């Protein structure tokens, strides 16, 4: 069964450094998303991407964040200058029909 | 504001007993409702959805949920709980095609032998 994959599973970085989180969505899916979950809290929407552009973003998704789908398969989330409060589990999701979203296993980002 | 509420942080059930995990949503247009389950250190796994049609939807692992428009609820149920059902359960809603999932705060389900 096809699945969403994410790399790395765990990323440790120092405050102020740039990180890139990578996702490979399911191949025929059209809509792509990033969510995050701070430890012990609920899952929060960051950004959605459709037809090679951002379709919606949350207030969390400020100028420090960017997304790209560089080669038609990978979907990346870049944090330009990480802060302590960016420490969270980041989930990528994709869907074909814009309803049922399939989630990847997540990348745990730890900012020290 | 669009929101989802799960009023119980934790639900404790004995194995073999029925379980219910509650969810209510704010009214705004036509919501599409979902349940996801998260096992420790794992991603979110889709359980079931309500898009349209029959208000009672059946999903994976014997779970079902009932969409109740008048009470704006979408409670998750299972007739006979298993210890392996112990996990974190999230209710979520989408309000438009391609839209973001809005999650509830999650309910920790604990099933004891």
């Amino acid at each position: 069964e096809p699945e969403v994959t994410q790399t790395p599973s765990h990323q440790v970085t120092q405050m102020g450094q740039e990180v890139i989180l990578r996702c490979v969505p399911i191949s025929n899916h059209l809509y792509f998303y990033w969510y995050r979950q701070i430890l012990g809290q609920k899952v929060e929407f960051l950004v959605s991407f459709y037809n090679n552009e951002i379709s919606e973003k949350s207030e969390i998704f400020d100028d420090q964040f960017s997304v790209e789908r560089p080669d038609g398969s990978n979907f990346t989330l870049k944090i330009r200058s990480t802060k302590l409060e960016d420490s969270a589990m980041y989930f990528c999701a994709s869907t074909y029909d814009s309803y049922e979203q399939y989630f990847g296993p997540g990348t745990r980002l730890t900012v020290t | 504001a669009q929101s989802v509420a799960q009023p119980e942080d934790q639900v404790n059930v004995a194995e073999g007993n029925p379980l219910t995990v509650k969810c209510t949503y704010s009214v705004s247009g036509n919501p599409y409702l979902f349940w996801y389950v998260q096992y420790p250190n794992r991603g979110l796994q889709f359980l079931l959805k309500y898009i349209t049609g029959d208000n009672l939807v059946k999903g994976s692992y014997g779970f079902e949920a009932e969409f109740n428009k008048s009470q704006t609820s979408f409670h998750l149920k299972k007739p006979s709980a298993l210890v392996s059902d112990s996990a974190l359960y999230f209710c979520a809603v989408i309000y438009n095609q391609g839209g973001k999932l809005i999650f509830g705060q999650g309910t920790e389900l604990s099933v004891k032998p």
Side-chain angles (χ1 to χ4, degrees):
Chain A
E1 186 176 326
E3 57 184 20
V4 177
T5 59
Q6 289 185 244
T7 53
S9 57
H10 191 189
Q11 173 93 48
V12 181
T13 189
Q14 289 190 326
M15 199 166 49
Q17 295 297 302
E18 175 184 286
V19 293
I20 298 176
L21 310 183
R22 290 184 167 79
C23 168
V24 179
I26 295 173
S27 62
N28 65 338
H29 283 189
L30 303 175
Y31 298 80
F32 312 104
Y33 309 82
W34 282 100
Y35 295 84
R36 79 172 185 191
Q37 184 182 31
I38 295 172
L39 188 63
Q41 298 185 24
K42 68 178 179 182
V43 180
E44 302 174 289
F45 167 77
L46 291 177
V47 66
S48 58
F49 193 84
Y50 172 71
N51 204 22
N52 287 318
E53 61 183 23
I54 290 174
S55 46
E56 187 177 0
K57 59 184 180 181
S58 71
E59 60 275 8
I60 302 167
F61 194 87
D62 62 20
D63 292 344
Q64 293 301 310
F65 290 86
S66 62
V67 288
E68 250 191 347
R69 189 161 157 77
D71 56 9
S73 63
N74 289 285
F75 180 50
T76 62
L77 174 70
K78 183 194 290 188
I79 309 175
R80 212 177 323 273
S81 177
T82 50
K83 307 190 221 18
L84 293 175
E85 54 265 36
D86 293 328
S87 294
M89 184 74 102
Y90 287 80
F91 293 108
C92 173
S94 68
T95 184
Y96 173 78
D97 63 1
S98 76
Y99 295 120
E100 181 182 329
Q101 294 182 20
Y102 291 81
F103 282 77
T107 293
R108 182 169 299 283
L109 177 65
T110 303
V111 183
T112 62
Chain B
Q2 300 167 345
S3 64
V4 176
Q6 293 178 243
E8 302 151 318
D9 290 335
Q10 181 149 14
V11 169
N12 297 307
V13 177
E15 188 174 31
N17 283 0
L19 70 87
T20 299
V21 183
K22 295 179 181 175
C23 172
T24 58
Y25 61 92
S26 62
V27 179
S28 177
N30 294 314
Y32 307 103
L33 294 149
F34 302 81
W35 277 99
Y36 283 84
V37 60
Q38 185 179 32
Y39 295 99
N41 300 313
R42 301 285 295 278
L44 293 157
Q45 188 174 340
F46 170 80
L47 271 183
L48 50 77
K49 65 185 176 189
Y50 173 80
I51 303 298
T52 187
D54 193 352
N55 288 344
L56 182 65
V57 292
K58 295 187 184 296
S60 309
Y61 312 119
F63 283 94
E64 58 187 32
E66 184 163 14
F67 173 63
N68 188 319
K69 191 171 183 178
S70 63
Q71 296 186 3
T72 63
S73 67
F74 189 58
H75 301 331
L76 180 71
K77 300 184 183 206
K78 187 173 182 181
S80 179
L82 300 172
V83 172
S84 57
D85 292 331
S86 299
L88 187 57
Y89 290 80
F90 289 97
C91 181
V93 63
I94 286 175
Y95 286 96
N96 56 282
Q97 185 177 16
K100 64 190 180 220
L101 279 166
I102 299 170
F103 284 88
Q105 63 269 40
T107 298
E108 186 81 44
L109 173 66
S110 177
V111 182
K112 299 292 187 195

